[in-house]
């Protein structure tokens, strides 16, 4: 082969290598273009943190063109700059996302608070109605009570308050001494009815104890006599002392009502009468006759029924009927109309009665009084098999009782 042919073949090989090198530079440029189009993709940047350098054969060719090699060296620098920009953009996007998420949570809380406020607003009309109703009931009760009390005080039959040194019982209850005067039979100084009512005892239910008026007791300062004589000797205070000394029962409040006032209160509170089942026909020494059976009794009829004792049972039958009357009165309070009249009637009771009973005590024990509508627990003293008939010069025919047995019965009754 001649020298000319060898030079020609060499030039052809050089031309092929230049074309091959130009093709590789085009591929590298495309890779750079892809990097520019995806600046936010951190994974792409991290994977391509160091750009692969293409094999440049021109660097091996003497006197060859080094432009492609220079481009390849400038490539990684441009990629790193784009990577930092991408990271900066990514951080700003993350910050924007965090702020957006915080803003979203704040907006959700605001919406939740608004919904809760809206629900409260929906409930407010009911609460306002209940509040207005409560205020109205209280206002009505106060006005009605004061009105009833003033009506009673203007009546000539209203009584003055007596001295009464009340004492709470051992279980903390503030028992009420109930006294009914027997003025109609010419015994103005004696108590025809002696009862103790407990409203705030352990059971929180009304408990009523009746004492037979002919029971022989020791009256402090006066010796032995019938228990009903204690009121004639020293009023409600001496009755309190007598009960405490003979039966160990303490009373904190008292209320004395004469029978005429009892009629007025019953007629005020129960305009249609009190439902009660009469035990038997009664007419002897009564102002109005009583027929046996279920009926509604007005104030006068109820009083006659409670006071009747002209039969073989005597005072025992009368005490039982008095307790029956008290039970019927409590039970009749379930009538809504009676409840409406109750403040006025209570004002009348306290107006007619001689009492130290505060209104606050009655309000405090309203629940106990309401429970009495279902029936009250009752006890009669002396209890069965604890007494016998007797007679004394001072008192005449009396009931002689076993005090230990009756004390135990009273204590058990009030504390159960």
């Amino acid at each position: 082969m001649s020298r000319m042919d060898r030079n020609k073949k060499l030039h052809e090989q050089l031309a092929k290598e230049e074309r091959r090198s130009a093709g590789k530079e085009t591929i590298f440029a495309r890779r750079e273009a892809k990097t520019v189009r995806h600046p936010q993709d951190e994974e792409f940047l991290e994977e391509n943190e160091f750009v692969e350098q293409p094999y440049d054969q021109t660097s091996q060719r003497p006197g060859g063109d080094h432009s492609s090699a220079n481009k390849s060296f400038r490539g990684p620098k441009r990629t790193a700059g784009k990577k930092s920009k991408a990271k900066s953009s990514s951080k700003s996007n993350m910050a924007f996302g965090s702020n957006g998420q915080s803003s979203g949570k704040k907006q959700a809380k605001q919406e939740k608070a608004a919904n809760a406020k809206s629900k409260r607003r929906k409930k407010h009309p009911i609460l306002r109605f209940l509040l207005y109703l409560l205020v109205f009931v209280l206002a009505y009760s106060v006005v009605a009570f004061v009105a009833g009390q003033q009506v009673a005080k203007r009546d000539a039959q209203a009584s003055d308050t007596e001295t009464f040194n009340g004492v709470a019982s051992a279980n903390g209850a503030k028992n009420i001494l109930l006294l009914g005067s027997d003025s109609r039979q010419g015994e103005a100084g004696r108590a025809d009815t002696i009862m103790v009512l407990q409203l705030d005892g352990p059971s929180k239910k009304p408990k009523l104890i009746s004492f037979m008026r002919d029971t022989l007791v020791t009256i402090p300062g006066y010796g032995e006599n019938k228990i009903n004589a204690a009121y004639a000797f020293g009023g409600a205070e001496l009755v309190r002392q007598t009960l405490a000394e003979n039966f160990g029962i303490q009373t904190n409040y008292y209320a004395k009502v004469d029978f005429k006032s009892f009629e007025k209160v019953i007629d005020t509170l129960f305009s249609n009468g009190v439902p009660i089942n009469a035990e038997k026909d009664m007419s002897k020494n009564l102002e109005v006759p009583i027929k046996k059976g279920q009926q509604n009794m007005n104030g006068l009829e109820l009083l006659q029924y409670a006071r009747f004792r002209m039969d073989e049972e005597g005072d025992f039958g009368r005490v039982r009927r008095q307790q029956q009357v008290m039970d019927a009165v409590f039970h009749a309070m379930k009538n809504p109309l009676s409840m409406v009249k109750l403040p006025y009637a209570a004002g009348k009771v306290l107006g007619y009665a001689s009492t130290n009973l505060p209104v606050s005590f009655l309000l405090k024990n309203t629940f106990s009084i309401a429970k009495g509508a279902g029936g009250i627990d009752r006890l009669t003293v002396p209890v069965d098999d604890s007494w016998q008939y007797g007679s004394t010069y001072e008192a005449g025919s009396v009931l002689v009782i076993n005090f230990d047995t009756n004390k135990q019965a009273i204590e058990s009754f009030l504390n159960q």
Side-chain angles (χ1 to χ4, degrees):
M1 181 181 292
S2 65
R3 185 175 181 181
M4 184 178 292
D5 293 335
R6 286 198 299 269
N7 288 336
K8 185 178 180 180
K9 189 175 181 179
L10 180 62
H11 282 296
E12 287 176 358
Q13 290 178 352
L14 290 174
K16 288 180 181 180
E17 288 179 358
E18 285 180 359
R19 284 196 297 272
R20 189 182 302 164
S21 176
K24 289 183 179 180
E25 287 182 2
T26 303
I27 293 173
F28 179 76
R30 288 177 182 175
R31 287 183 180 178
E32 280 191 351
K34 288 182 180 180
T35 304
V36 172
R37 281 194 300 270
H38 303 282
Q40 292 88 2
D41 192 344
E42 281 192 21
E43 293 182 1
F44 177 84
L45 291 174
E46 289 176 357
E47 291 176 358
N48 297 276
E49 186 173 0
F50 181 81
V51 179
E52 180 182 359
Q53 300 298 321
Y55 176 76
D56 193 356
Q57 294 183 1
T58 58
S59 60
Q60 299 178 358
R61 187 180 73 247
D65 188 1
H66 300 285
S67 63
S68 62
N70 293 336
K71 288 181 182 179
S72 66
F73 280 107
R74 285 193 301 269
K77 291 182 181 179
R78 286 195 300 269
T79 305
K82 291 175 182 178
K83 175 183 176 181
S84 63
K85 288 182 181 180
K87 285 186 177 180
S88 174
S89 175
S90 176
K91 287 181 180 179
S92 74
N93 288 339
M94 288 174 65
F96 177 77
S98 176
N99 293 335
Q101 185 177 8
S102 176
S103 176
K105 288 182 178 179
K106 186 175 180 181
Q107 185 177 1
K109 287 182 179 180
Q110 290 177 349
E111 291 178 356
K112 186 176 181 180
N115 292 336
K117 189 174 181 181
S118 177
K119 289 181 180 179
R120 287 196 297 270
R121 285 178 178 174
K122 290 179 180 179
K123 293 180 180 179
H124 284 171
I126 299 176
L127 294 177
R128 283 198 297 268
F129 172 76
L130 293 176
L131 180 62
Y132 294 153
L133 181 61
L134 178 62
V135 171
F136 172 77
V137 170
L138 290 176
Y140 166 77
S141 299
V142 170
V143 172
F145 178 86
V146 172
Q149 197 171 38
Q150 293 302 316
V151 169
K153 287 183 176 180
R154 287 195 297 267
D155 197 318
Q157 294 177 341
S159 303
D160 296 329
T161 302
E162 301 181 21
T163 300
F164 192 82
N165 302 315
V167 178
S169 64
N171 63 9
K174 296 180 178 179
N175 300 324
I176 306 169
L177 174 61
L178 303 178
L179 300 170
S181 65
D182 196 17
S183 59
R184 289 192 168 192
Q185 293 182 339
E187 301 176 6
R190 290 180 180 258
D192 185 59
T193 301
I194 301 175
M195 296 180 175
V196 173
L197 176 64
Q198 184 181 87
L199 295 176
D200 58 343
S203 68
K204 299 301 180 184
K205 181 180 180 181
K207 291 180 177 289
L208 185 67
I209 302 176
S210 297
F211 294 87
M212 304 283 289
R213 70 175 192 168
D214 291 337
T215 302
L216 182 65
V217 296
T218 299
I219 301 175
Y222 293 90
E224 291 187 338
N225 208 320
K226 292 180 179 180
I227 193 172
N228 68 340
Y231 185 78
F233 296 153
E237 171 62 18
L238 188 56
V239 176
R240 182 193 69 77
Q241 296 177 17
T242 301
L243 291 175
E245 181 173 320
N246 291 268
F247 301 101
I249 182 172
Q250 297 289 353
T251 52
N252 202 80
Y253 304 116
Y254 87 98
K256 180 186 76 75
V257 180
D258 64 63
F259 294 121
K260 194 65 180 176
S261 299
F262 175 82
E263 292 181 33
K264 293 179 180 179
V265 171
I266 293 299
D267 289 337
T268 299
L269 189 57
F270 308 105
S271 57
N272 295 323
V274 176
I276 193 169
N277 188 10
E279 296 178 347
K280 61 179 75 175
D281 292 340
M282 305 172 187
S283 59
K284 190 174 183 179
N285 294 343
L286 295 181
E287 295 183 34
V288 291
I290 303 296
K291 296 295 183 180
K292 179 181 178 180
Q294 183 68 35
Q295 57 194 289
N296 284 8
M297 294 187 182
N298 59 28
L300 177 59
E301 293 168 340
L302 204 61
L303 177 62
Q304 297 297 304
Y305 180 74
R307 298 188 64 214
F308 180 77
R309 64 170 183 168
M310 304 304 294
D311 59 6
E312 66 282 359
E313 292 184 292
D315 204 37
F316 285 94
R318 178 165 71 167
V319 168
R320 184 181 65 252
R321 285 187 288 275
Q322 287 175 352
Q323 292 180 337
Q324 183 187 6
V325 167
M326 290 291 291
D327 195 13
V329 169
F330 270 95
H331 189 74
M333 287 183 183
K334 291 192 301 184
N335 189 320
L337 183 60
S338 299
M339 294 300 295
V340 172
K341 295 180 180 179
L342 185 59
Y344 181 76
K348 264 195 169 184
V349 169
L350 297 183
Y352 282 124
S354 171
T355 182
N356 68 340
L357 186 64
V359 179
S360 59
F361 179 80
L362 296 177
L363 293 175
K364 182 179 178 181
N365 293 280
T366 300
F367 180 71
S368 178
I369 295 173
K371 287 179 70 175
I376 60 177
D377 295 337
R378 299 177 283 178
L379 178 70
T380 300
V381 175
V383 297
D384 295 340
D385 302 325
S386 69
W387 62 274
Q388 61 183 0
Y389 286 111
S391 180
T392 67
Y393 176 78
E394 296 82 5
S397 179
V398 295
L399 298 176
V400 181
I401 71 172
N402 184 319
F403 286 100
D404 291 336
T405 301
N406 284 278
K407 281 182 181 180
Q408 185 177 359
I410 291 172
E411 183 179 2
S412 177
F413 175 72
L414 292 179
N415 291 310
Q416 66 184 3

